[in-house]
Amino acid sequence: MLVDGPQRLVLAFGKRAAIGKDTIGYEPDAEHNWRTARYLWDGREAAELRHRIGGGSRAPFFHPDGTALTGQELPTSHPGHQDPAALTEWVTLLQLGGNLEAAFAAAGVELDTTVVQARYNTVDPLQVLGSMPLVASRLIPEVQRLTGTDTEARLQIPRSWRASILVERTGSEGGLRVRCAERARPADIPSLPEACWRRLPDLDLLRAGRITPEQLHPLVRASLFPDLPSTERLSRSSQAGPPASDPVRVRCRGEWHEVVCQDGTLQLPHTTEEQRREQAMRAFGGAVAGCFAVQQAWTSGTGRLPRALREQRQELFLRVQHGDTPGVLRLLDAGADPRVRDGRQHTLLHLLHLLDHEQLLPRLLKAGLDLEAKDHHGRTPLHVAVGDRGSPALVQALLDLGARIDVVDSEGWSLRSLIRRRRRRELRFLADRVEREFPGIGVDWWFGDEEDDDKDGDE
């Protein structure tokens, strides 16, 4: 199943939301302190990954060139603290073998195995910790980074509505105690971010043989395996995707025909006269089949497509979803048809808010895309840009091109309605224009109070 919506990470700043007196969510939520974990979100710090997951000159369970350690090369006793990777391997092997007390002892962490009586049930720390992909050898350095000079700091890892794993510093010598406790409010005891205690999923996948080092992100690969020879050979999933010119076989009129995306269009093995005849039949309500049915599904977003064409379409729209403007441009340069629609009848114009519109908008208009095309909700590209947080620059660009502002979607939302509903104060000029030129258009209610909204916008 594909995740819907944009997949880019967004760094936002604002006021911290107040936490109610009795507010405790189930998720290990509240606030997580990522200031000491820049290697996870700042490419300039990515090289630190190997050390932060418990490695040293190499990543745990692997040689520096990415080859896995054999069973004979793994530690069979405590290796000491001079080799962080070997220590992580020893602790991890003890944990996976079910010997949690020995694993925590090897990591220098005190483990309190007292069973806790929560409000509605008992909590066994060995059972809870045994179900977690936790690396005990990482706890001491990660907690020290987060808490600094606070030698009595406490952090929690929420595990249920009522129980948490409590991680407590026990003095200036780096001592650490882990025990189960009744869950506290996030305002009282902050959470230990999952990245500070969890095994790196990439290593688990590599050890299980589900992926190869070459399939890792280049920054991750370079950090984990510094001696792995650089290579330009990329996995199928990291390339620009299925070539846009791959021909696809289609059953048509009792024969197999080939259709292909080439020169920016889905080309059919039919003469111009045949295509005009099919268009006329379609205009009068006639059924289309074969190559022409595929063409109609390709450009309308409705109907069935051969699997290979679905994969080509999916590759293009996944690039869009991830905000990969260069990847989209490469596919278009390779001959991909910009007039294709996804399963929700979105054109590329509808999804420009996910991309660099300054690069793509002129190209899409030159290809003949319709500014007033509607998706499955009856929304135009301008409608989507307003409702899905498209930038004011994109909204203004569409307006400058003559996009209509009297549009209403299938649920009755006009542009003014969406602006008020989304509280997009930066687009108030457009809301005022719609109200002035088309008074009363669309629904006239939104989520919030108009007077408060006006007041907030004027502050």
Side-chain angles (χ1 to χ4, degrees):
M1 183 178 70
L2 297 177
V3 177
D4 190 27
Q7 299 302 296
R8 293 172 296 175
L9 294 176
V10 177
L11 181 63
F13 297 88
K15 294 180 180 179
R16 183 168 68 177
I19 299 177
K21 180 179 179 181
D22 299 317
T23 300
I24 301 180
Y26 173 74
E27 298 293 334
D29 48 292
E31 297 174 359
H32 291 256
N33 185 350
W34 298 102
R35 288 177 295 178
T36 65
R38 294 186 71 94
Y39 70 97
L40 293 176
W41 52 269
D42 187 340
R44 295 168 298 182
E45 306 291 334
E48 191 182 355
L49 172 66
R50 183 175 71 256
H51 301 281
R52 297 295 291 273
I53 64 170
S57 61
R58 60 180 181 82
F61 297 98
F62 290 89
H63 291 290
D65 64 357
T67 57
L69 270 63
T70 63
Q72 291 72 29
E73 294 174 304
L74 293 172
T76 56
S77 61
H78 197 302
H81 294 270
Q82 301 304 313
D83 186 346
L87 177 61
T88 299
E89 290 160 358
W90 177 240
V91 171
T92 302
L93 290 173
L94 288 173
Q95 288 180 250
L96 295 178
N99 198 344
L100 289 179
E101 294 180 80
F104 277 80
V109 178
E110 178 186 344
L111 176 61
D112 186 342
T113 60
T114 303
V115 175
V116 174
Q117 181 65 50
R119 184 171 301 182
Y120 298 111
N121 60 338
T122 58
V123 182
D124 184 346
L126 292 179
Q127 182 178 3
V128 174
L129 291 168
S131 65
M132 297 170 59
L134 180 146
V135 182
S137 60
R138 295 181 57 196
L139 289 177
I140 290 178
E142 291 295 335
V143 170
Q144 287 179 337
R145 285 189 181 95
L146 279 172
T147 58
T149 60
D150 186 357
T151 59
E152 298 181 355
R154 295 190 302 167
L155 299 167
Q156 64 174 329
I157 306 174
R159 302 308 299 166
S160 69
W161 284 100
R162 296 297 176 187
S164 286
I165 300 297
L166 202 60
V167 182
E168 305 170 308
R169 292 188 63 172
T170 59
S172 58
E173 300 300 321
L176 202 67
R177 179 191 302 115
V178 172
R179 62 186 178 90
C180 274
E182 193 162 355
R183 183 170 178 176
R185 293 195 303 268
D188 295 334
I189 302 180
S191 295
L192 178 64
E194 185 173 334
C196 295
W197 57 263
R198 186 185 180 93
R199 284 199 309 271
L200 184 69
D202 308 66
L203 284 184
D204 285 346
L205 291 171
L206 287 166
R207 291 186 63 199
R210 300 292 298 273
I211 61 174
T212 65
E214 289 77 15
Q215 290 176 292
L216 294 170
H217 187 282
L219 291 176
V220 175
R221 184 174 65 241
S223 179
L224 295 182
F225 309 121
D227 292 350
L228 180 66
S230 60
T231 176
E232 296 301 320
R233 294 182 295 106
L234 300 177
S235 66
R236 181 71 168 176
S237 61
S238 63
Q239 295 178 4
S245 58
D246 278 357
V248 178
R249 298 180 70 205
V250 175
R251 189 71 172 172
C252 183
R253 299 176 179 176
E255 301 176 351
W256 286 103
H257 291 173
E258 286 189 345
V259 300
V260 60
C261 275
Q262 200 170 56
D263 300 327
T265 186
L266 185 66
Q267 298 188 3
L268 309 183
H270 292 274
T271 65
T272 303
E273 181 180 350
E274 290 174 323
Q275 295 189 45
R276 288 176 179 172
R277 183 167 60 247
E278 289 291 336
Q279 291 173 358
M281 290 179 57
R282 187 186 311 163
F284 286 104
V288 294
C291 297
F292 301 102
V294 168
Q295 183 186 53
Q296 181 176 341
W298 182 258
T299 56
S300 69
T302 61
R304 300 185 62 182
L305 287 173
R307 179 177 179 180
L309 279 180
R310 290 200 307 272
E311 291 177 351
Q312 292 184 22
R313 181 178 70 176
Q314 183 184 66
E315 179 66 27
L316 174 62
F317 281 97
L318 279 177
R319 294 282 171 180
V320 173
Q321 187 180 21
H322 284 265
D324 184 7
T325 300
V328 172
L329 289 171
R330 284 196 299 270
L331 285 173
L332 294 178
D333 290 340
D337 186 357
R339 288 171 291 273
V340 63
R341 295 197 186 206
D342 68 9
R344 299 184 179 185
Q345 302 176 43
H346 291 134
T347 68
L348 292 180
L349 283 178
H350 283 95
L351 303 177
L352 271 182
H353 63 286
L354 303 176
L355 300 163
D356 183 349
H357 73 275
E358 292 184 351
Q359 293 190 58
L360 279 165
L361 182 56
R363 180 164 184 167
L364 298 180
L365 293 177
K366 186 177 180 180
L369 270 70
D370 184 5
L371 274 178
E372 308 305 328
K374 295 186 176 182
D375 64 11
H376 70 310
H377 282 310
R379 295 181 177 177
T380 66
L382 177 59
H383 224 126
V384 173
V386 168
D388 288 355
R389 297 289 175 181
S391 68
L394 171 59
V395 172
Q396 188 61 59
L398 294 173
L399 291 172
D400 292 343
L401 289 167
R404 293 178 56 174
I405 65 171
D406 62 337
V407 288
V408 177
D409 67 13
S410 59
E411 296 180 353
W413 295 101
S414 66
L415 294 178
R416 176 184 179 275
S417 305
L418 283 175
I419 291 170
R420 301 306 298 257
R421 179 186 184 186
R422 305 295 189 195
R423 295 186 179 274
R424 301 206 59 183
R425 299 181 180 92
E426 74 277 15
L427 299 182
R428 177 166 292 183
F429 74 94
L430 178 56
D432 292 343
R433 179 183 165 189
V434 173
E435 177 64 19
R436 183 172 61 253
E437 298 182 17
F438 303 97
I441 189 173
V443 296
D444 58 359
W445 60 272
W446 50 89
F447 291 92
D449 182 84
E450 181 174 11
E451 292 183 0
D452 290 342
D453 188 58
D454 289 338
K455 181 179 178 180
D456 291 342
D458 294 336
E459 289 180 351

